[in-house]
Amino acid sequence: MGASRTPAHGLAAASLRWTIWGLSAAVTIGLLAQPVGPEAQLWLCGAACAGMLALWLLAPRRGLPRLAFLALGTLVVIRYVYWRLTGTLPSLDDPVGLGFGMMLLGAELYCVLILAVSLVVTADPLVRETVPFPADADLPAVDVLIPSYNEPTEILAVTLAAALNLDYPADKLTVWLLDDGGTDQKCADPNPAKAAAAQERRAELQALCAALGACYLTRARNEHAKAGNLNNGLTASRAEIVLVLDADHAPFRSFLRETVGLFSEDPNLFLVQTPHVFLNPDPVERNLRTFARMPSENEMFYGVTQAGLDKWNGSFFCGSAALLRRRALDAVGGFSGITITEDCETALDLHGRGWTSAYVGKPLIAGLQPESLADFIGQRARWCQGMIQILMLKNPLMKPGLRPIQRLAYLSSMTFWFFPLPRLVFMLAPLLHIFFDVKIFVSSVDEAIAYTATYIVANLMIQNYLYGHVRWPFVSELYEYVQGVYLARSIASVIVSPRRPSFSVTAKGAGLAHDHLSPLAWPFFAIFAALAAGCGMAAWRYLYEPGVTSLMLVVGLWCGFNLVIAGVALGAVAERRQEETTPSLPVGRPALAAIGDERVPVTVERMSAEAATLRLRRADGAPFPAMPQGGLLQAGTGPALRFTLRAAPAPDLRVVAFAPLAPAEYRTVAGLMYGDAAALRGFLAGRRRHRDLVTGTLRFLAWGVAEPLRAVSYLGRSAPPALPAPAVPEAASAAELPAVAAIPPVAARVPAAEPSPQVILADEIARDLPATLAAALAPVAAAPASVAPVIPAKVASPAVAPAAIRPEPVPAAAMPALTPGSVDAPVRAPAVPSAMPEAALPQAAMAEADWRAAIAGLLAAAPGLDRAPPPDAATLDAAFWAESIRALAGAGAVPAPLAPPRRQAVPLAPSAAPALSQPLEAGRPAAARDAA
């Protein structure tokens, strides 16, 4: 009997609790809605802000103090909303002002709604305890599904290898590559070139999977995009648990050990989601140079919001880095494919069926972000359209089976994507009053200070209190504006036709060769110019026009704030060169380097699929041995990696470049990069430094001054293409190597402890501003075209057979036996630039035939690039090599960074090719001259 009364008793207690909360809220709102004068309002809200500050500084940020802080901030917000609704709208006698005023009010109410929902969701985020890993006998079978469409083979190989390296019994783990780029439909494309490319891709990926031990799977037709591809994988696989990974999301070895145990604790659990973490910066981070010192944009969602949603059983599937229960997927017919965001749609369906979800906030994968702004905007447009599709086609308010708090959670995630509309309203609204004298709101200066200023301060304090460790001040406004300029059109298109948007794959690993303005930059310049004109007009009208009230000053300051955001956005759309062609990861893993007859203990400080930074860790203090022919890098039991020397940034550091990897060698690369997630967590923790409102605001203002100048400096000039990485002659000594590594050591990337925000802020501004000003004010066009430092991006390939420029394999006897077959691994050939349009060459450059002859001569005269030189052969030093190439390009005698110049380089005209080729010819081996 007692058992039968317990649920009713609990329901009654919950009803009473919610009733008390509701009555208290009604009484509070009634008191806050009482009209008071500006002075009383200023005292009331000022006291609330002072109380918030005291709680911030003196009380812990959890429990009752946290709720009290949010309650005081809510008081200020409610007072502001009441004032805006009752005392600031234009009268009916001014229909134009009333219309625009209602539009502005709607944008503000939207922001208040999003703030209110976020406070409910993140008021008390859930932090899950580590779940014990079940015994091997109790472990469920896991199928890893990796959907792919057009990603490069190298990216897929790393992800497949990392998935195969997962710490899990091999007989219970199966890795599937789901290839949608080699389907029967694509292999039979009417376009012969496309069909051949698809067939080649299918054969290449089949061979890769066979070599690694993964399963390759494709399908007949490309239907329902990623959801259809995953469902095809479900029909072929059989495991109880499914791990979904994007093609560029490589898992760390401990992924399953950190997550699988949750399924044994809750038989109704359908999802375990983990954060998405990235090796490379997004375009905004790269262009503002914040990747190593500021939290990424997505950390606010994965660091706070998902944990808040998890408390209410509302964390949802994000498309990758997640485990799902097959039985739950079967209950809803697999992955949903009505919208283009199959992940959130699938989670909504399963939550509606009563299934539960969990969020583990530990970084357990590392992926890639879009490099260019255009790809970044395209990705966000797909997310935006997909979430609005779900809202329109599967509205969570009408979805049966959801609890009220789950409806609110999903509604917050979907309505958030309307942010482009209010953001653009806030950016352009002050111009209506400045240029056309439209009264979009009615207020005195005293009221604006008492209500608007205190509301802004309280709002900023709430955001910084909740998200300061994962989001710097005003960075949200920046990202919203950068995306909003283009996403507003995406919103309109999906509202007009909810079923029209189609899935598109985001390009990854593309790289950026040189500094340039994004093709999407021109609207940002136009808006910046309009805001600058608005600020100037507001100042002129306030100072000189009779009858203009102090309200013009307030609107002018608003326009000035918008101008700062627009100025920083110009820096975000001024694309910087991508310095790393392959993103690297700080790892700090021990390894062994076999160099000649020596086996040298090293620490792999930074690692990518193409190169690594090695730190010597000898106890005897002996230096790095010379490596004229490179060496082998051994880690664990996998195949050794053949490398050649790229740079020596310090006596105990060497940057090495790997030879082209055989499939089995990707297991070694994945083991080094993704064997231990602690290094990545340390990197993330190092940049999660709380930036307070004062230093954060000053930092943002500094960007607002510097970045427009840098963006303007990109106008009217064509940035020179990137130079290829300099080839290091095999016989070079450490003193002759470049002093700057292509992959910096870990100390250059992971920020040190911050002594104080003010000190580091001053250092940042002192470092960034002068360089930007110098670049903007440099007389770029002053040099004559014949001597301008313009290097062609691509040069016609020399008429040399590929085999002739491959380094000779190291004899097996010269290396210790590490792993059978590893010594004969393929080696990397020096990069040979391909042809470029003749119009792109500088005026003083040679014709293509002269280029071919001269470059072929340089290659033949450089010992070690094509063959071992005879003892009496002449040696071409690195400085002369670099100076000669620059001279051939018409760039004059530009100082070479490879080594101190040993001889004077003379600018060459096109007719000077014979003069260069004659001394080079003398240094060639006799056999090579005879063959030519």
Side-chain angles (χ1 to χ4, degrees):
M1 188 177 208
S4 63
R5 277 191 278 203
T6 300
H9 177 73
L11 181 62
S15 300
L16 179 61
R17 183 170 59 251
W18 282 107
T19 301
I20 294 173
W21 273 105
L23 290 174
S24 300
V27 171
T28 302
I29 293 175
L31 291 174
L32 293 176
Q34 298 303 311
V36 296
E39 185 176 354
Q41 166 68 17
L42 186 60
W43 277 104
L44 174 66
C45 292
C49 291
M52 294 169 67
L53 182 61
L55 288 170
W56 192 339
L57 297 177
L58 303 176
R61 299 186 188 182
R62 60 183 182 274
L64 187 59
R66 181 185 179 95
L67 297 179
F69 179 94
L70 299 180
L72 289 174
T74 303
L75 179 152
V76 180
V77 173
I78 292 175
R79 287 293 305 168
Y80 174 77
V81 171
Y82 172 76
W83 171 69
R84 284 288 281 126
L85 288 172
T86 60
T88 62
L89 287 175
S91 67
L92 295 175
D93 297 336
D94 181 12
V96 174
L98 180 61
F100 284 112
M102 291 293 291
M103 186 181 300
L104 177 62
L105 177 63
E108 291 189 68
L109 292 178
Y110 164 85
C111 293
V112 171
L113 173 65
I114 295 298
L115 174 64
V117 174
S118 68
L119 292 183
V120 173
V121 169
T122 62
D124 187 20
L126 176 64
V127 179
R128 290 184 176 268
E129 299 292 335
T130 301
V131 177
F133 192 64
D136 286 359
D138 300 327
L139 289 174
V142 175
D143 280 329
V144 183
L145 303 184
I146 304 175
S148 170
Y149 184 75
N150 61 356
E151 296 82 7
T153 303
E154 294 78 10
I155 291 178
L156 290 171
V158 172
T159 304
L160 287 169
L164 289 163
N165 284 352
L166 285 169
D167 186 9
Y168 210 72
D171 60 333
K172 295 187 176 183
L173 180 69
T174 307
V175 178
W176 295 82
L177 177 61
L178 311 179
D179 180 24
D180 245 12
T183 58
D184 296 345
Q185 176 185 355
K186 286 188 169 292
C187 289
D189 194 283
N191 185 322
K194 292 183 178 179
Q199 294 166 12
E200 180 181 358
R201 174 186 171 85
R202 178 189 281 193
E204 184 178 4
L205 294 184
Q206 283 177 331
L208 174 66
C209 290
L212 287 174
C215 300
Y216 176 91
L217 182 67
T218 189
R219 53 183 176 145
R221 301 187 61 81
N222 299 79
E223 296 177 336
H224 302 296
K226 182 179 177 181
N229 195 11
L230 287 171
N231 287 331
N232 185 58
L234 287 177
T235 61
S237 62
R238 291 292 180 268
E240 178 185 349
I241 303 298
V242 172
L243 168 58
V244 179
L245 296 171
D246 278 349
D248 58 294
H249 282 192
F252 285 91
R253 181 171 168 78
S254 61
F255 187 102
L256 294 177
R257 284 194 171 270
E258 301 272 9
T259 53
V260 162
L262 287 166
F263 286 97
S264 61
E265 287 199 339
D266 182 3
N268 208 36
L269 183 69
F270 83 90
L271 169 73
V272 176
Q273 179 67 57
T274 68
H276 293 186
V277 181
F278 301 102
L279 296 178
N280 63 320
D282 67 35
V284 177
E285 291 174 314
R286 185 189 67 253
N287 297 331
L288 296 181
R289 292 178 173 172
T290 64
F291 182 61
R293 60 186 179 184
M294 184 182 80
S296 290
E297 180 215 14
N298 67 329
E299 290 193 49
M300 180 171 160
F301 175 73
Y302 287 109
V304 180
T305 303
Q306 274 281 46
L309 292 170
D310 193 24
K311 182 180 179 64
W312 309 110
N313 188 26
S315 59
F316 57 86
F317 179 35
C318 298
S320 179
L323 291 166
L324 298 103
R325 194 187 296 270
R326 177 185 296 273
R327 182 162 51 89
L329 291 171
D330 291 341
V332 293
F335 294 92
S336 303
I338 295 177
T339 71
I340 59 175
T341 47
E342 79 295 329
D343 42 17
C344 183
E345 182 187 350
T346 302
L348 177 64
D349 290 343
L350 286 166
H351 274 134
R353 295 287 188 97
W355 293 87
T356 60
S357 62
Y359 176 70
V360 176
K362 298 179 180 179
L364 296 172
I365 65 100
L368 300 178
Q369 300 200 84
E371 279 84 1
S372 71
L373 182 70
D375 291 331
F376 177 77
I377 295 297
Q379 179 193 64
R380 300 312 169 92
R382 175 167 60 84
W383 296 354
C384 172
Q385 290 184 317
M387 295 300 274
I388 296 176
Q389 274 186 299
I390 299 175
L391 180 64
M392 299 182 68
L393 301 176
K394 295 186 174 183
N395 194 318
L397 293 178
M398 308 299 176
K399 184 77 174 177
L402 295 178
R403 293 187 296 136
I405 192 65
Q406 288 178 307
R407 299 180 192 277
L408 187 66
Y410 272 104
L411 194 66
S412 70
S413 300
M414 296 169 189
T415 55
F416 163 79
W417 286 99
F418 286 102
F419 72 80
L421 303 180
R423 178 55 53 197
L424 293 181
V425 169
F426 294 145
M427 291 296 290
L428 302 177
L431 300 180
L432 293 173
H433 182 71
I434 292 172
F435 287 112
F436 307 107
D437 211 24
V438 176
K439 301 295 188 295
I440 51 180
F441 65 89
V442 178
S443 171
S444 66
V445 175
D446 292 341
E447 289 177 324
I449 294 174
Y451 287 92
T452 305
T454 54
Y455 164 71
I456 292 174
V457 170
N459 200 338
L460 290 174
M461 291 179 69
I462 291 173
Q463 294 186 39
N464 199 252
Y465 181 87
L466 292 177
Y467 310 115
H469 63 294
V470 291
R471 180 63 56 86
W472 285 6
F474 304 111
V475 171
S476 291
E477 285 77 4
L478 171 64
Y479 271 95
E480 290 181 5
Y481 169 61
V482 169
Q483 297 175 70
V485 171
Y486 284 94
L487 263 58
R489 183 173 56 186
S490 301
I491 294 172
S493 67
V494 75
I495 290 176
V496 171
S497 182
R499 298 181 183 272
R500 183 178 179 182
S502 58
F503 190 95
S504 60
V505 179
T506 305
K508 306 285 180 65
L512 295 171
H514 55 85
D515 297 341
H516 65 284
L517 285 176
S518 168
L520 306 182
W522 304 112
F524 296 92
F525 276 95
I527 295 174
F528 181 83
L531 292 172
C535 290
M537 177 63 74
W540 184 88
R541 293 189 64 185
Y542 179 72
L543 293 174
Y544 301 110
E545 184 174 323
V548 172
T549 65
S550 298
L551 185 60
M552 181 62 69
L553 177 61
V554 175
V555 177
L557 292 174
W558 178 10
C559 187
F561 171 72
N562 290 342
L563 182 65
V564 173
I565 296 177
V568 182
L570 287 184
V573 302
E575 306 258 38
R576 294 185 191 269
R577 171 181 174 175
Q578 179 73 30
E579 296 180 356
E580 282 187 346
T581 57
T582 302
S584 61
L585 183 68
V587 292
R589 302 294 303 282
L592 203 62
I595 304 171
D597 294 328
E598 296 189 61
R599 295 167 70 88
V600 182
V602 297
T603 298
V604 183
E605 296 214 335
R606 184 169 284 273
M607 181 79 183
S608 77
E610 290 188 353
T613 301
L614 309 181
R615 183 179 294 277
L616 187 66
R617 53 183 182 93
R618 272 180 163 172
D620 57 7
F624 252 116
M627 49 183 80
Q629 294 181 321
L632 296 174
L633 182 65
Q634 176 74 60
T637 59
L641 306 176
R642 178 178 295 276
F643 64 78
T644 55
L645 187 59
R646 176 180 289 181
D652 63 337
L653 283 181
R654 295 293 182 269
V655 177
V656 298
F658 298 127
L661 299 173
E665 293 169 343
Y666 280 101
R667 298 286 292 267
T668 304
V669 171
L672 283 168
M673 292 187 69
Y674 304 104
D676 185 4
L680 180 64
R681 293 172 187 169
F683 170 74
L684 296 178
R687 69 180 185 181
R688 281 188 174 183
R689 296 174 296 188
H690 189 278
R691 182 58 64 99
D692 61 71
L693 289 174
V694 176
T695 59
T697 302
L698 292 176
R699 170 70 274 182
F700 201 80
L701 290 174
W703 280 333
V705 174
E707 294 305 319
L709 296 174
R710 182 174 66 86
V712 170
S713 73
Y714 286 7
L715 292 169
R717 70 176 176 93
S718 177
L723 286 171
V728 179
E730 290 187 1
S733 66
E736 294 172 324
L737 294 172
V740 179
I743 295 184
V746 66
R749 283 300 192 94
V750 180
E754 185 175 7
S756 73
Q758 292 77 14
V759 171
I760 195 169
L761 173 67
D763 291 343
E764 290 171 2
I765 296 176
R767 179 176 63 248
D768 294 349
L769 265 178
T772 304
L773 291 170
L777 302 177
V780 178
S786 60
V787 297
V790 179
I791 311 298
K794 298 181 180 179
V795 184
S797 303
V800 180
I805 60 172
R806 293 176 67 89
E808 201 67 33
V810 181
M815 290 289 178
L818 298 177
T819 303
S822 63
V823 172
D824 296 325
V827 293
R828 182 185 301 278
V832 180
S834 56
M836 75 175 295
E838 186 174 344
L841 293 173
Q843 296 177 5
M846 290 184 173
E848 180 176 333
D850 292 331
W851 266 102
R852 287 181 177 275
I855 298 300
L858 284 170
L859 286 170
L865 285 181
D866 55 352
R867 59 189 65 80
D872 57 347
T875 299
L876 180 67
D877 65 75
F880 185 67
W881 168 276
E883 292 164 355
S884 300
I885 294 297
R886 290 174 179 268
L888 284 170
V894 181
L898 293 178
R902 299 182 182 177
R903 60 188 77 179
Q904 183 65 33
V906 180
L908 298 180
S911 60
L916 175 65
S917 60
Q918 288 171 4
L920 294 179
E921 193 72 18
R924 298 177 63 187
R929 293 199 302 269
D930 296 339

